[in-house]
Amino acid sequence: MQVATATSPLIAPYKIVVVENAERMPPTAANALLKTLEEPISGTIILISSQPQRLLATITSRCQLVPFQRLNNAQMTTVLENVGRSEILNHPNVIQFAGGSPGIAIAYHDQLQSIPQSILQQLIQPPSNLLTALSIAKDIEVQLDFHQQLWLIDYLQYCWKEFLSDQNWLLKLEDAKNSLLKMASPRLVWEVLLFP
């Protein structure tokens, strides 16, 4: 951090350092940041945190708090219309899933459009028989890349809310995501997840 703020900017006239998920800093990094904040620097350091209460009090006392709130539906509508993405408003599930973030709504909508409708239609609810589960698992492995498969698991957590009162489904979805992240065979992951 000190190196970034002590050197001259390469192109821009001003230096900005952005630290995302600042609350996750290990103690050594937090102490180094504190030392940087205590010394005069030429530039701005922006700490982004969804849990600022987890930052050291000595750090937050040297920062200016700028809260960002989730947008309500009317504000979401205004933003999406202003950026030319009003077609997203025709998908209430996208708006609800985004939780007040236009950026998430746009990314979610774009990702949703990249998934074949045939797969989405088959996954409106968990499959009820083994042959259907095996067929869907095969289609997912063949038609979706790694990132689409990870996204699809998050989408299923949203779509299958009514089934998630059964903790087994929630655990199966979490296990499937973890298995994909550990580079397990995608086909096997989906077969195990969708097995009725």
Side-chain angles (χ1 to χ4, degrees):
M1 182 77 64
Q2 282 184 305
V3 172
T5 56
T7 58
S8 299
L10 296 176
I11 299 172
Y14 199 72
K15 290 180 287 188
I16 296 178
V17 177
V18 178
V19 180
E20 292 190 60
N21 299 312
E23 74 279 357
R24 294 185 186 172
M25 279 187 289
T28 52
N31 288 326
L33 172 63
L34 180 59
K35 184 174 180 183
T36 301
L37 293 173
E38 289 172 341
E39 298 173 1
I41 58 171
S42 60
T44 300
I45 299 173
I46 299 173
L47 305 178
I48 300 175
S49 176
S50 59
Q51 299 175 314
Q53 70 278 7
R54 290 185 54 198
L55 290 165
L56 292 176
T58 49
I59 289 177
T60 55
S61 68
R62 289 165 174 79
C63 296
Q64 179 180 353
L65 180 65
V66 180
F68 291 89
Q69 305 297 328
R70 299 279 182 180
L71 303 182
N72 62 35
N73 286 345
Q75 293 167 327
M76 286 279 286
T77 299
T78 302
V79 170
L80 292 172
E81 286 174 346
N82 287 344
V83 297
R85 297 303 302 266
S86 57
E87 76 279 4
I88 297 173
L89 299 171
N90 298 325
H91 300 274
N93 61 333
V94 171
I95 300 298
Q96 187 176 4
F97 185 85
S101 169
I104 291 174
I106 291 168
Y108 182 83
H109 182 263
D110 292 347
Q111 189 67 52
L112 187 62
Q113 301 309 307
S114 76
I115 307 290
Q117 278 298 314
S118 58
I119 291 175
L120 294 174
Q121 285 299 318
Q122 292 179 83
L123 291 173
I124 290 173
Q125 61 184 28
S128 56
N129 65 67
L130 179 59
L131 288 177
T132 302
L134 294 174
S135 173
I136 297 170
K138 179 182 175 186
D139 289 345
I140 290 171
E141 182 197 28
V142 170
Q143 298 181 46
L144 303 184
D145 66 27
F146 174 75
H147 295 289
Q148 289 173 312
Q149 291 183 40
L150 285 176
W151 179 87
L152 185 57
I153 290 174
D154 290 338
Y155 177 74
L156 294 179
Q157 286 182 329
Y158 173 79
C159 289
W160 293 356
K161 276 192 272 186
E162 63 186 274
F163 301 98
L164 297 184
S165 56
D166 175 358
Q167 282 294 98
N168 288 334
W169 273 115
L170 190 56
L171 292 173
K172 283 175 76 170
L173 286 164
E174 289 174 8
D175 287 345
K177 189 168 192 174
N178 289 332
S179 296
L180 284 175
L181 290 168
K182 292 177 183 173
M183 301 304 179
S185 161
R187 177 85 166 266
L188 183 58
V189 169
W190 287 99
E191 287 176 352
V192 169
L193 171 61
L194 301 174
F195 190 82

